[in-house]
Every structure is written in C-alpha cells, then in structure tokens.
Amino acid sequence: MKSVTVIGASLAGLYAARALRAQGYDGRLTLVGAEPHRPYDRPPLSKEFLTAPTTADDPDQDPAALPALALTDAEELAELDADWLLGTRATGLDTRLRTIRLDTGRTLTTDGVVLATGATPRRLPGPAPVGSHTLRTVDDARALRADLTRGGPAQVVVVGGGFIGAEVAASCSALGHRVTVVEAAPLPLVPQLGHAMAELCSRLHGDHGVALLTGTGVRQLHAGGDGGRVTAVELSDGRLLPADVVVTGIGVRPHTDWLEGSGLPLGDGVRCDAGCVTPIPTVVAAGDVAHVAGARAEHWTSATEQAGTAVHNLLAGRTVRTPRTVPYFWSDQYGVRIQFAGSRAPGDVPRIVEGSPDDRSFLARYERDGRTTAVLALNRPRPFMRLRRELARAQQPTATT
C-alpha cells in the first residue's frame, strides 16, 4: 500500500495517522479535515475552555496550540510527514476508482482510506436565533463563551441532560449564570447508567442550584428585540422559559452524507465488522462515524482504540485484529468526576461497595449472575481504575494471523 488518505483530522484521524507510522507504514499519508485547525481535544470545550478567562484565548490562535486543547506539537507533526488538507471537505468517495472528491474541486487517488469524519450535533426544529448554540467545535465553544461573558448573570437554558448538556450546565453555573436543564426523558442518563445510578447523578444539578425539568421536550425557540436574539424556550407542554442563552445538546448524527452512493453500507454510521473494516477491505472507519459490530460509540477512548485497530487491519488487507476492549467514558460536572466502565444491560443490579451517595463520592459495581459487568465511580478514581483493570483482564484482546 503506497498511499493512505485519512478523512477527518480530529482525534480518531490523528490517532490513525500515528498508528500508521508506528506500525511501519512509510508511504504517502494525507489527512483531510473540514475544520481549518490542526487536531485538538474536544472534551475540555464544555468545561475548562468555557470557564477559562477570555484573555487566555486569542480568537485568531490555532486551538491546537492552546495548552488545554493541544493534541500534538510541531515535532510530532514533522515526524508524521503527512500532507494536511485542512479547511477542506470530502464530498464523495468512489471505491471502484479509489478516488476522493474534495470541495476544492481536487480529486485524490489513494490505495487505502480511513474514515474518521466524526459526527455533527442534532438541532432543534425551526430557526436558530442569535444566542442559541450547539457545542461540537472550538469555534462553537468560542461563540458560546462570548455570549456567556458579554454581560452580567444570564438566564441559560440547556436542552438535553446528557453528558454534554450536564457539563455545559455545570460550567454556566460556575460562571454565575442562572441555569435550567430541560430533558425530554423522565430522567437523564438512564440508558447509560440505569435508573438508580442516574437518579443519584442527576442530584448534582440541584446541589448547585441548577433547575432540572424532565419529561418535556422543546417545541420552539422565541426571539425578538436585541437583534433577533433568543428570548424564551417554549416547551412541548406549553410552558415558556425565559432565556438569554440556549445551548442544545440532544445528541449527534454521524457525518456520512458525503458517502451516499459510495456503495458502503450506511446506517447510524459506516457499518464495519468487529475490526473496523467495511465490506471493502481498503476502507476502514474509526471514531464517532464508525458503526462497529452492531454498535456505535461516541467516547474519546473508543475513537483512539478503534483507530489503531482499523489501521492494523487496513495494512493487513483483512480483519486480523478484533480487540474486545472494555467500554469506558468519563464526565466532569460540578467538581465531580463521573467514571464508567463495562457493559451494563437492563436488569444488571448496581451495588455501592465504597463511599456514600450522600457525599457524592462512591464506587458501585453492576452485577449479573454473581459477576461484575460494569463499574461506576463518583470521585473515586483509584479504586475505579482497579476495578476497570479487573474488567479488562476478563476481556483480553484476541488476534488471528
């Protein structure tokens, strides 16, 4: 294989490039990224980046150079010896001719393709007035931070009580704003944590004076006055919530529109086998866009682990590695680190084995038929890592040759 093109220059794309070079690939390497920025870390955008003093960030500065966001440096970039086509979108893939069309009019011919285009935020129906935001990119975060720091305390409505919504709510509260979280489900995070543990985690909002409204969605946003700015959020039950700033965090959809007609199987992402390989062995996928062995994960660790696996199999020309890693994610809210590892299923019973929910610091095991299936911790990093390692030892990676 003499040339590999990585479509997507964020976390999964960078890790794919690293893995290619680490695994001995010395051919032509091209990374195509829709954003004009070098790869940067997204998790801090809803936390440290929002709450940092505005003087710490020059709007014209590449976010990859900011200490809180940097994923790489000039030395590593030189070692990767890659062509970076940033601020450029892929618009089509011809798997038969092995070509990629770009929005610049250029066409790339390549032997191998790594799809790492990530996902885009879902949006509320209707117009998006001034003062309404989603949070996915550093430019999104800069716009939101400008709104949050333009005056005194504001009324902020966060639509969606998942991890992004909760982190944004915590940051807004720390900045002194009045915050309301609106969640359509009866309780946030139940699919991830189960009802009992989700209820304990949802109490963090009330602990910090953040209102949590559940069981209702959003019908529309109202605007007027100051340049058409948002003024209120109309809920599906007819209530109106005054709002100076609205942040929508209702999930994402994988960025696959440009792959229509490529012949690749699409459906909640690019469908791959357990080794991140599509039915065309010269095309693999990793990160938020990859639907691997029937599931799609949207977490930092999944993106990094899938990138290495995908590249290994790409270079091999077939699936030879199918790691069975333990799913892991974390979230920082209101000074509490929430960590979760494992695969919880409905019916698994959580049992607190250390600490107390009253202190918002505890460790819990999820159990099924006498064995641990997952572990959850609030502010218990060391014992959590011990149990995470136990889960990992029970699911060692497998490989065939």
Side-chain angles (χ1 to χ4, degrees):
M1 189 168 286
K2 297 181 179 180
S3 60
V4 175
T5 301
V6 181
I7 310 298
S10 189
L11 181 69
L14 173 63
Y15 271 72
R18 287 173 172 171
L20 281 163
R21 293 308 192 202
Q23 294 178 31
Y25 173 72
D26 60 0
R28 179 164 58 86
L29 175 58
T30 304
L31 285 92
V32 179
E35 293 186 66
H37 314 298
R38 288 181 287 134
Y40 60 89
D41 206 15
R42 296 187 193 276
L45 295 180
S46 58
K47 300 180 282 288
E48 301 99 310
F49 189 84
L50 282 186
T51 57
T54 55
T55 54
D57 176 27
D58 178 348
D60 296 324
Q61 185 177 12
D62 188 330
L66 299 173
L69 302 183
L71 280 176
T72 187
D73 56 28
E75 182 179 356
E76 183 188 30
L77 290 174
E79 291 174 353
L80 287 176
D81 188 25
D83 295 326
W84 293 82
L85 304 180
L86 300 178
T88 303
R89 291 184 179 274
T91 59
L93 172 65
D94 188 321
T95 55
R96 183 177 61 87
L97 297 177
R98 296 179 295 132
T99 58
I100 300 162
R101 296 189 305 276
L102 306 179
D103 64 356
T104 60
R106 180 179 174 185
T107 299
L108 301 177
T109 301
T110 187
D111 296 324
V113 179
V114 181
L115 301 174
T117 47
T120 56
R122 297 186 184 277
R123 299 179 184 273
L124 296 171
V130 177
S132 61
H133 302 265
T134 56
L135 182 55
R136 179 72 179 179
T137 69
V138 70
D139 294 324
D140 294 337
R142 281 171 166 157
L144 175 56
R145 191 169 70 178
D147 249 1
L148 294 173
T149 57
R150 70 190 187 99
Q155 182 66 59
V156 179
V157 176
V158 178
V159 182
F163 289 118
I164 290 293
E167 290 170 0
V168 170
S171 295
C172 291
S173 176
L175 290 169
H177 299 299
R178 301 179 297 278
V179 185
T180 300
V181 176
V182 178
E183 169 58 46
L187 191 66
L189 302 177
V190 170
Q192 295 87 355
L193 306 180
H195 188 277
M197 295 295 104
E199 184 175 21
L200 292 178
C201 290
S202 70
R203 295 178 189 173
L204 292 171
H205 294 297
D207 289 349
H208 294 83
V210 172
L212 174 62
L213 303 181
T214 61
T216 183
V218 171
R219 182 175 296 162
Q220 62 179 324
L221 303 182
H222 291 250
D226 181 14
R229 285 194 63 88
V230 66
T231 57
V233 176
E234 182 178 346
L235 303 182
S236 55
D237 59 15
R239 283 180 290 174
L240 283 178
L241 301 179
D244 303 303
V245 177
V246 175
V247 186
T248 301
I250 54 175
V252 298
R253 59 177 184 83
H255 183 47
T256 58
D257 295 350
W258 70 283
L259 291 169
E260 295 290 344
S262 66
L264 294 175
L266 306 177
D268 190 33
V270 179
R271 294 184 175 268
C272 310
D273 66 13
C276 303
V277 180
T278 74
I280 300 171
T282 54
V283 181
V284 299
D288 290 359
V289 77
H291 192 107
V292 179
R296 191 171 62 83
E298 298 173 1
H299 303 299
W300 198 95
T301 50
S302 299
T304 60
E305 292 166 356
Q306 288 175 358
T309 297
V311 161
H312 184 93
N313 293 329
L314 177 68
L315 295 178
R318 60 190 177 94
T319 298
V320 296
R321 175 178 294 176
T322 56
R324 294 179 292 181
T325 55
V326 176
Y328 168 67
F329 60 82
W330 79 93
S331 177
D332 293 321
Q333 307 170 20
Y334 306 105
V336 173
R337 168 151 288 199
I338 300 172
Q339 295 172 282
F340 183 93
S343 300
R344 185 198 71 84
D348 290 1
V349 178
R351 179 170 61 89
I352 294 176
V353 296
E354 183 179 308
S356 168
D358 293 336
D359 299 330
R360 307 296 187 260
S361 176
F362 64 86
L363 180 72
R365 291 177 181 261
Y366 292 80
E367 298 176 340
R368 183 194 320 150
D369 299 328
R371 64 184 181 88
T372 299
T373 58
V375 58
L376 169 71
L378 269 65
N379 277 351
R380 296 273 168 159
R382 289 187 178 179
F384 171 84
M385 292 305 297
R386 173 174 52 82
L387 291 184
R388 183 186 174 194
R389 287 193 294 269
E390 289 181 11
L391 287 172
R393 282 194 293 269
Q395 296 188 31
Q396 291 297 319
T398 60
T400 60
T401 58

